[in-house]
Amino acid sequence: MRRNALQVMVGNVPVGGGAPVSVQSMLSVPSDDVQGNVAQAVRLEQAGCQILRVAVPDREAVRLIPAIKEKISIPLVADIHFDYKLALEAAAAGIDKIRINPGNIGSDDRVKAVADACRSRKIPIRVGVNDGSLEKHILAKYGHPTAEALCESALYHASLLEKFDFTDIVISMKASSVERSIEAYELAAQRCRYPLHLGITHAGTARMGLIKSAIGIGGLLQRGIGDTLRVSLTDDPAEEVRTGIDILKALDLRGGVKVVACPTCGRTRINLIPLANQVEEALSSCKKDITVAVMGCAVNGPGEAREADLGIAGGKGDGLLFRKGKILRKVPEERLLPELLAEVDKL
């Protein structure tokens, strides 16, 4: 059962309150390259990104907001550190959400100014802490970035907004350690009702970052914790989006085609690995909620994948096309992919 979080609206995307878990990413083009950021934003929306973040390190970067929003339909988040005036300018420029930590922007009057500006425009704020940016007093209390320290830091920043009756808050507590991240989010899930933005920070390159994110983000989602997510990879941000979508699909939290495939063995007489990749690529944009199997053995394949809506199982130079374990027909190897896709179109 999913945790009963409060709901905030990020543009037209609901976060929390039982809404579907949304997938986020962040632009990686230097902030002084407006056209490059716009082009990447369009590409990430096409890849399936539902909420997009952009760094706003200075006043010049505020111009990114209208330029990007003109070309995409998904909500845009301004990532701001320390300078509360940038938050005010981003709000005035039409941003849909602000990521800022109130404890880092100075006096109460600055926090109130940001809270008031966001409240009047219905802009939520994400409080985002990670294990490399904890406050000195919290580090002194715990000695190092523990899960307790991360949770306390996040709730401390949220409390600064609550002082001014601002509660459209999303919380994230990211560590590079999978275990520490999971523990921090579990604590926050018990101690507040704010929506939780899941992620493993500086998770690594595509290979290890994917593994750590699948375990950390996927483990929390399996526990019913989490309302939106961002997979952090040292790679093309489009891979972050695809990985996030795949994590949701693996947990049956997202519809669309699920491709299952066997690992091959000595019985395999068909060139299965490239075929499986071709099937996955060909069906990557298909919106049908179906399972498609690519199996290497015509003897065991249809039975092992009998739960699949459609599937193919290899033979020697040919293969079987089957539906729910029932064989439809034998097909030459070079026709397996087009015949499978034709059957998908019929569903």
Side-chain angles (χ1 to χ4, degrees), residues 21 109 121 139 176 203 229-230 265 335:
V21 178
D109 61 325
R121 295 174 172 86
L139 276 177
S176 186
L229 66 89
R230 188 252 175 128
C265 69
R335 292 291 306 163

Side-chain angles (χ1 to χ4, degrees), residues 3-7 16-18 193-196 227:
R3 166 178 169 267
N4 183 25
L6 299 171
Q7 186 173 97
R193 289 191 59 209
Y194 291 125
L196 297 178
D227 304 285

Side-chain angles (χ1 to χ4, degrees), residues 288-308:
K288 296 180 178 180
D289 293 334
I290 58 173
T291 298
V292 175
V294 185
M295 310 298 286
C297 175
V299 176
N300 295 328
E304 289 179 354
R306 66 170 57 89
E307 297 301 316

Side-chain angles (χ1 to χ4, degrees), residues 20-44:
V21 178
S22 51
V23 175
Q24 305 195 24
S25 188
M26 186 170 184
L27 296 169
S28 60
V29 176
S31 61
D32 58 358
D33 180 357
V34 175
Q35 292 309 310
N37 275 277
V38 170
Q40 189 179 61
V42 171
R43 189 164 62 86
L44 290 175

Side-chain angles (χ1 to χ4, degrees), residues 1-5 220-226 253:
M1 181 177 294
R2 286 185 64 188
R3 166 178 169 267
N4 183 25
L220 285 163
L221 289 171
Q222 196 275 333
R223 292 166 170 81
I225 297 171
L253 294 173

Side-chain angles (χ1 to χ4, degrees), residues 245-307:
I245 291 171
D246 287 344
I247 290 172
L248 294 177
K249 282 186 177 182
L251 291 165
D252 293 324
L253 294 173
R254 176 68 67 92
V257 177
K258 298 179 180 69
V259 176
V260 299
C262 76
T264 78
C265 69
R267 290 187 293 270
T268 305
R269 295 294 183 269
I270 195 170
N271 201 6
L272 188 74
I273 294 174
L275 178 59
N277 288 329
Q278 289 166 12
V279 170
E280 189 169 63
E281 176 63 26
L283 296 175
S284 61
S285 60
C286 181
K287 305 300 183 185
K288 296 180 178 180
D289 293 334
I290 58 173
T291 298
V292 175
V294 185
M295 310 298 286
C297 175
V299 176
N300 295 328
E304 289 179 354
R306 66 170 57 89
E307 297 301 316

Side-chain angles (χ1 to χ4, degrees), residues 92-311:
I95 203 68
D96 297 298
K97 181 181 175 185
I98 288 174
R99 189 274 195 198
I100 194 169
N101 287 348
N104 296 340
I105 63 175
S107 58
D108 275 2
D109 61 325
R110 294 181 177 185
V111 177
K112 184 178 186 302
V114 172
D116 289 347
C118 289
R119 184 190 302 104
S120 66
R121 295 174 172 86
K122 302 187 183 304
I123 300 170
I125 294 175
R126 173 159 74 94
V127 167
V129 302
N130 63 56
D131 55 3
S133 63
L134 293 177
E135 295 74 25
K136 290 181 180 178
H137 72 276
I138 291 179
L139 276 177
K141 178 179 178 179
Y142 292 97
H144 66 97
T146 64
E148 282 276 1
L150 284 164
C151 184
E152 182 172 324
S153 175
L155 296 181
Y156 157 69
H157 286 291
S159 73
L160 299 178
L161 293 169
E162 292 166 349
K163 284 172 59 176
F164 302 105
D165 298 320
F166 188 92
T167 55
D168 277 352
I169 299 169
V170 179
I171 285 178
S172 67
M173 298 147 298
K174 300 182 182 181
S176 186
S177 161
V178 172
E179 183 175 6
R180 187 179 302 152
S181 294
I182 290 174
E183 290 175 359
Y185 280 106
E186 287 180 325
L187 289 171
Q190 296 166 9
R191 297 177 185 177
C192 75
R193 289 191 59 209
Y194 291 125
L196 297 178
H197 169 122
L198 303 184
I200 307 296
T201 193
H202 44 279
T205 56
R207 181 173 177 270
M208 185 53 71
L210 184 154
I211 292 169
K212 291 172 69 174
S213 297
I215 296 169
I217 295 172
L220 285 163
L221 289 171
Q222 196 275 333
R223 292 166 170 81
I225 297 171
D227 304 285
T228 186
L229 66 89
R230 188 252 175 128
V231 174
S232 297
L233 299 177
T234 308
D235 201 351
D236 184 339
E239 286 303 313
E240 298 182 348
V241 175
R242 286 188 278 267
T243 301
I245 291 171
D246 287 344
I247 290 172
L248 294 177
K249 282 186 177 182
L251 291 165
D252 293 324
L253 294 173
R254 176 68 67 92
V257 177
K258 298 179 180 69
V259 176
V260 299
C262 76
T264 78
C265 69
R267 290 187 293 270
T268 305
R269 295 294 183 269
I270 195 170
N271 201 6
L272 188 74
I273 294 174
L275 178 59
N277 288 329
Q278 289 166 12
V279 170
E280 189 169 63
E281 176 63 26
L283 296 175
S284 61
S285 60
C286 181
K287 305 300 183 185
K288 296 180 178 180
D289 293 334
I290 58 173
T291 298
V292 175
V294 185
M295 310 298 286
C297 175
V299 176
N300 295 328
E304 289 179 354
R306 66 170 57 89
E307 297 301 316
D309 297 281
L310 283 170

